[in-house]
């Protein structure tokens, strides 16, 4: 959406005018509000005056009535009479005069028992109630009585010579009261009645008595009188008639079950309203005039200022377009009298133009340098991953159009991390430079060698190269690394693993082709390294399976799906329990028990395996502490260490922390390592083993005889136990070669002063033969399968007595 341009002067003018209008509006509202308050106050004053006049005139009528009665009783000498018959006849004679002179509508004389002595009209409930109150209080009673019309009801007690009491009651019209209020307040007054309804309107009023009946009838019938009675009671209503303005206010008098009675005051507020309208008009005209004058003043005063701002805004985009000379050619006139902020801004932008021009020159130079850095590796000088991505996408796009093959080699140095760990990153960087040179010398000039990251290199082969040629190149690279690499005075024997991926004319993304080569490279590394593999579909499935297994292992650790099973190790000649080997077990919620052979090889070098290994070590410490409580204190638990676990720099500190936490002796734990782990870097292995041995741990070589068995390294290493692999034990009685290997191994180990243990013993004949040839320890199904940890202590109570195997105690089958 395109944004419309509005100049600063226009915005400033609009802002000032808007502010002035807002101020004028606020003042107008305050003034009008004040006038409204004055009008409301006037209305309230009128209501209070009307109420006061009504009360005063009603009181005058009551006083006149009481005075008349006192004079009347004196004239007829009531206090000398024994009954009220004379009073009744006298009242009957005076009734017409009372009607004329004092607006008496009805007259009653009743006994103390409320029996009528004289009555001009039937007794109503209101009259009887008033008489009853007089009888109870012996005092006059005054009240306002409204049924169909409103009257003042006056009841006064009179006494005869016997002290008997009679009550004179009169209902007096409000005509005199209305007239008196009209004269006192100079407004019109009426008594009105409304039906008792929620939505009754002012026009529904019935006028009972009024000082100006015709005017009242017109005003109440006016179309403006459609206002609801509730609103009129609260606020009043203003009605226009014959050019005059009248304010009708209602003063509540009385109410019955069906009707409400009010005194209506009608005030002529024409002069007040006219004054109010004139004042408001004058104020608004004054506000508009002031607004116009100030707006013009602002426009003429701010004009020069905004013109210079507009000119500056026109030329500033030249800086964004890097037209620095053109910007400086435009001159903005300075202020004529005093310098202001615009002058400061003009000077600052001129200086800024010089700075930006110099900066632009430097940025152009640096950009060129950064482009080179972005595309090339600073250490080796080879193209980096960005350049590879660019070139590979371009080659793949071209090859897909012409149906040509594209091939890549993914190369990773084997065990390069150990070089950094042992010799430092400085030596490692120099080794990478030499490795890059060797790769460069092996490839054709048309091939592109890139450093992919760390110790990984990727070779983009010339277009339409065959798989055989790619394999020949991989072999040449592998051969070039057979010679040691010299860095300063050190020689490094470094091999590499290579993965090859070809498009075979298929349409493929650059990232997918690199991923295929990466997968093939890891296949080569998993098979021992120093070789190459060509990517095949099955490799992806194995990688996916590895990723899935790694993810499930992480979840299994969190959910406690792993456990240990412990297989006993017994002294061959005494059947005494020497210890247990801890074996890892995985109870999968869906696949059931997963064999260690299925998941350990996949996870061998992953971070999850290291985490799992630490869990196994801690669990072994916990189990040993529990075994001490059942009397098995002098035993050993053998713990298998993976290659990654053994190489982890945190292992030694972790073992120290466990020894302190559980307060146990390291001599009760045996760490098992395979020959393959030890021979990868014998010097480093000896250093690590010596550090752990100094804590008290013993070491066993597992699966002895299946790998690189050599007396040379065996004599150098701090090893305590040699374990003969079960593959030899299974066939020792049927295969003479296996038998000779076992016997010679036992003899050799004994000469070195080490302990020998045979795995996989399943028959009594195997046990007897091994015992006769001085094998120290026995482990196998003949004694027990690996025992799940939850069953371990039941098994100990069942099978072990005083540290010996229960089944062989006092048995003739025991071999001595």
């Amino acid at each position: 959406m395109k944004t419309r341009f509005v100049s600063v002067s226009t915005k400033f003018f609009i802002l000032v005018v808007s502010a002035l209008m807002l101020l004028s509006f606020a003042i107008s509202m305050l003034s009008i509000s004040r006038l409204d308050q004055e009008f409301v106050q006037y209305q309230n004053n009128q209501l209070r005056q009307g109420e006061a006049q009504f009360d005063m005139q009603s009181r005058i009528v009551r006083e006149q009535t009481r005075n008349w009665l006192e004079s009347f009783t004196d004239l007829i000498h009531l206090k000398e009479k024994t009954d009220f018959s004379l009073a009744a006849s006298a009242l009957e004679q005076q009734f017409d005069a009372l009607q004329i002179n004092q607006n008496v509508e009805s007259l009653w004389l009743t006994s103390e028992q409320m029996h009528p002595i004289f009555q001009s009209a039937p007794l109503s409930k209101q009259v009887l109630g008033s008489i009853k109150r007089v009888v109870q209080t012996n005092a006059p009673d005054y009240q306002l009585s409204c049924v169909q019309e409103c009257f003042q009801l006056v009841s006064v007690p009179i006494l005869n010579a016997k002290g008997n009491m009679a009550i004179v009651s009169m209902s007096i019209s409000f005509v005199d009261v209305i007239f008196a209020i009209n004269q006192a307040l100079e407004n019109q007054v009426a008594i009105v009645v409304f039906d008792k309804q929620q939505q009754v309107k002012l026009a529904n009023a019935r006028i009972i008595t009024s000082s100006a009946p015709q005017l009242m009838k017109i005003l109440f019938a006016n179309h403006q009188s459609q206002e609801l009675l509730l609103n009129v009671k609260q606020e009043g209503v203003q009605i226009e008639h014959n050019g005059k303005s009248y304010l009708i206010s209602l003063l509540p008098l009385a109410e019955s079950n069906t009707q409400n009675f009010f005194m209506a005051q009608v005030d002529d507020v024409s002069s007040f309203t006219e004054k109010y309208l004139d004042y408001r008009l004058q104020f608004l005209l004054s506000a508009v005039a002031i607004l116009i004058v100030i707006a013009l003043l602002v426009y003429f005063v701010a004009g020069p200022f905004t013109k210079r701002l507009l000119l500056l805004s026109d030329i500033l985009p030249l800086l964004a377009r890097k037209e620095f000379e053109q910007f400086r050619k435009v001159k903005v006139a300075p202020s004529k009298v005093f310098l202001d902020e615009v002058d400061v801004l003009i000077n600052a932008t001129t200086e800024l133009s010089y700075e930006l021009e110099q900066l632009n020159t430097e940025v152009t130079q640096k950009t060129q340098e950064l482009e080179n850095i972005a595309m090339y590796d600073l250490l080796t000088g080879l193209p980096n991953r960005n350049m590879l991505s660019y070139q590979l996408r371009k080659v793949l796009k071209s090859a897909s159009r012409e149906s040509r093959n594209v091939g890549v080699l993914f190369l990773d140095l084997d065990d390069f991390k150990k070089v950094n760990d042992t010799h430092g990153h400085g030596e490692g960087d120099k080794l990478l430079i030499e490795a890059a040179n060797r790769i460069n010398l092996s490839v054709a000039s048309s091939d592109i060698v890139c450093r992919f990251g760390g110790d990984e290199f990727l070779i983009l082969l010339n277009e339409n190269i065959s798989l055989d040629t790619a394999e020949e190149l991989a072999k040449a690279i592998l051969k070039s690394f057979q010679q040691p690499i010299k860095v300063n005075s050190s020689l490094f024997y470094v091999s590499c693993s290579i993965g090859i991926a070809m498009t075979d004319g298929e349409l493929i993304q650059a990232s997918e082709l690199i991923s295929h080569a990466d997968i093939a490279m890891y296949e080569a590394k998993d098979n021992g390294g120093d070789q190459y593999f060509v990517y095949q579909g099955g490799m992806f499935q194995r990688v996916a399976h590895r990723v899935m297994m790694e993810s499930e292992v992480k979840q299994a650790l969190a959910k406690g799906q792993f456990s240990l099973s412990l297989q006993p190790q017994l002294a061959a000649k005494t059947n005494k329990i020497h210890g247990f080997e801890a074996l890892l077990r995985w109870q999968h919620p869906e696949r059931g028990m997963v064999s260690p052979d299925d998941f350990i090889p996949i996870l061998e070098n992953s971070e999850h395996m290291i985490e799992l290994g630490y869990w196994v070590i801690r669990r072994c410490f916990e189990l040993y502490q529990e075994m001490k409580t059942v009397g098995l204190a002098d035993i050993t638990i053998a713990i298998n260490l993976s290659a990654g676990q053994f190489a982890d720099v945190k292992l030694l500190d972790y073992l120290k922390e466990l020894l302190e936490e559980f307060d146990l002796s390291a001599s009760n734990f045996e760490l098992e390592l395979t020959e393959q782990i030890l021979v990868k870097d014998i010097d480093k292995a000896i250093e690590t083993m010596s550090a752990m041995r100094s804590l008290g741990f013993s070491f066993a070589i597992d699966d002895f005889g299946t790998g690189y068995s050599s007396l040379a390294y065996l004599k150098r290493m701090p090893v305590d136990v040699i374990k003969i692999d079960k593959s030899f034990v299974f066939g020792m009685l049927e295969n003479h070669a296996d038998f000779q290997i076992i016997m010679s191994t036992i003899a050799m180990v004994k000469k070195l002063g080490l302990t020998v243990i045979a795995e996989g013993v399943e028959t009594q004949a195997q046990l007897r033969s091994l015992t006769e040839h001085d094998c120290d320890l026995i482990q196998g199904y003949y004694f027990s399968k690996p025992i799940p940890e939850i069953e371990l202590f039941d098994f100990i109570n069942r099978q072990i007595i005083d540290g010996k195997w229960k089944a062989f105690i006092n048995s003739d089958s025991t071999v001595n």
Side-chain angles (χ1 to χ4, degrees), residues 462-481:
N462 188 22
E463 293 184 38
N464 216 26
I465 198 169
S466 66
L467 177 59
D468 292 338
T469 306
E471 291 187 72
E472 290 299 324
L473 175 58
K475 292 174 183 177
I477 295 172
L478 291 172
K479 186 176 181 180
S480 70
F481 279 92

Side-chain angles (χ1 to χ4, degrees), residues 578 720-723 749-750 753-757 776-777:
H578 170 76
D720 303 278
V721 178
I722 299 297
K723 300 186 73 174
V749 171
K750 285 292 185 179
L754 305 178
T755 301
V756 63
I757 179 170
D776 295 306
L777 301 173

